[in-house]
């Protein structure tokens, strides 16, 4: 009997380890997952960083200044990759060197500032320039409470009342879609225009 007890005491740690291993395996298999695979964590529309009294510049491959964004406060939202800017001021240069500026009380810009939504006293100005054919293009100015500007494609849209000044000509409308590259301007709603004759310019 004593010999049997001695042999059991030798194998007892091995038996206990086996029982513990089986118990642990059973617990892992029977415990429910804390997070269901079907429910993914939703990305919140919350800023991940802030900037105050800032200036951000971007350059093209040749090192030329492409755009500069200034503002008093800015919030970056990672879910939409947008930057929301207060009291914004923007300068953008086209491939031909033409300068376009934009200001507003608030703006929402995409990652490279090529697309801007301007809110509150929105103002976009394209300075006089020569196009690819060498023809002189007069100064263009847009004003409104909302302007959607596409800086790279030189397009400005709005679904709200706008004022457009091209050289000495002036137009107002309830909505607008202007494509500078195609030289097409679509004005909608109540449209009023003043065209100054070429001789009077």
């Amino acid at each position: 009997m004593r010999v049997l007890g001695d042999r059991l005491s030798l194998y007892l740690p091995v038996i206990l380890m086996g029982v513990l291993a089986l118990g642990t395996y059973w617990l892992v298999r029977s415990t429910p997952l804390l997070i269901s695979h079907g429910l993914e964590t939703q990305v919140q529309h919350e800023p991940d960083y802030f900037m105050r009294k800032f200036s951000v510049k971007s350059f093209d491959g040749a090192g030329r200044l492409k755009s500069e964004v200034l503002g008093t406060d800015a919030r970056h939202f990672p879910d939409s990759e947008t930057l929301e800017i207060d009291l914004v001021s923007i300068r953008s240069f086209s491939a031909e060197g033409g300068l376009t500026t934009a200001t507003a009380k608030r703006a929402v810009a995409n990652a490279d500032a090529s697309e801007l939504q301007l809110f509150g006293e929105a103002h976009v100005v394209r300075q006089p320039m020569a196009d690819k054919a060498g023809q002189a293009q007069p100064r263009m100015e847009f004003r409104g409470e909302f302007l959607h500007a596409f800086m790279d494609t030189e397009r400005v849209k709005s679904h709200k009342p706008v004022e457009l000044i091209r050289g000495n000509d002036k137009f107002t409308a309830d909505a607008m879609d202007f494509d500078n590259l195609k030289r097409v301007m679509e004005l909608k709603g109540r449209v009023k225009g003043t065209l100054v004759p070429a001789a009077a310019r």
Side-chain angles (χ1 to χ4, degrees), residues 48-194:
D48 59 349
Y49 68 81
F50 302 86
M51 292 187 286
R52 289 181 180 265
K53 296 180 181 177
F54 68 94
S55 170
V56 177
K57 296 179 180 180
S58 63
F59 300 86
D60 63 15
R64 293 183 297 257
L65 180 64
K66 185 177 178 182
S67 66
E68 180 180 18
V69 181
L70 300 95
T72 57
D73 292 276
R75 298 158 295 280
H76 179 262
F77 295 90
D79 60 327
S80 58
E81 282 299 323
T82 56
L83 193 65
E84 189 175 287
I85 309 164
D86 298 332
L87 296 180
V88 65
S89 177
I90 298 168
R91 294 190 308 150
S92 178
F93 294 91
S94 67
E96 293 78 29
L99 172 62
T100 300
T101 59
T103 59
K105 288 184 176 178
R106 186 173 67 91
V108 176
N110 64 348
D112 62 356
S114 62
E115 182 179 340
L116 301 165
Q117 296 182 64
L118 304 169
F119 303 89
E121 298 179 14
H123 187 202
V124 176
V125 176
R126 192 210 65 201
Q127 297 298 332
M129 59 175 289
D131 61 15
K132 292 180 180 179
Q135 295 181 336
Q137 298 298 316
R139 181 180 186 271
M140 296 279 291
E141 182 177 354
F142 304 89
R143 292 181 182 272
E145 283 303 301
F146 172 78
L147 293 173
H148 196 165
F150 301 85
M151 308 303 259
D152 289 346
T153 58
E154 299 181 32
R155 189 172 181 185
V156 180
K157 299 170 64 176
S158 181
H159 62 282
K160 292 190 174 183
V162 293
E163 178 183 21
L164 165 64
I165 301 171
R166 184 179 186 274
N168 295 320
D169 302 332
K170 182 178 178 181
F171 301 90
T172 58
D174 291 334
M176 174 198 67
D177 187 348
F178 174 74
D179 189 329
N180 185 55
L181 296 179
K182 294 181 179 178
R183 305 285 195 267
V184 175
M185 178 173 60
E186 183 180 359
L187 300 174
K188 302 176 183 178
R190 294 169 295 178
V191 178
K192 294 182 180 179
T194 302

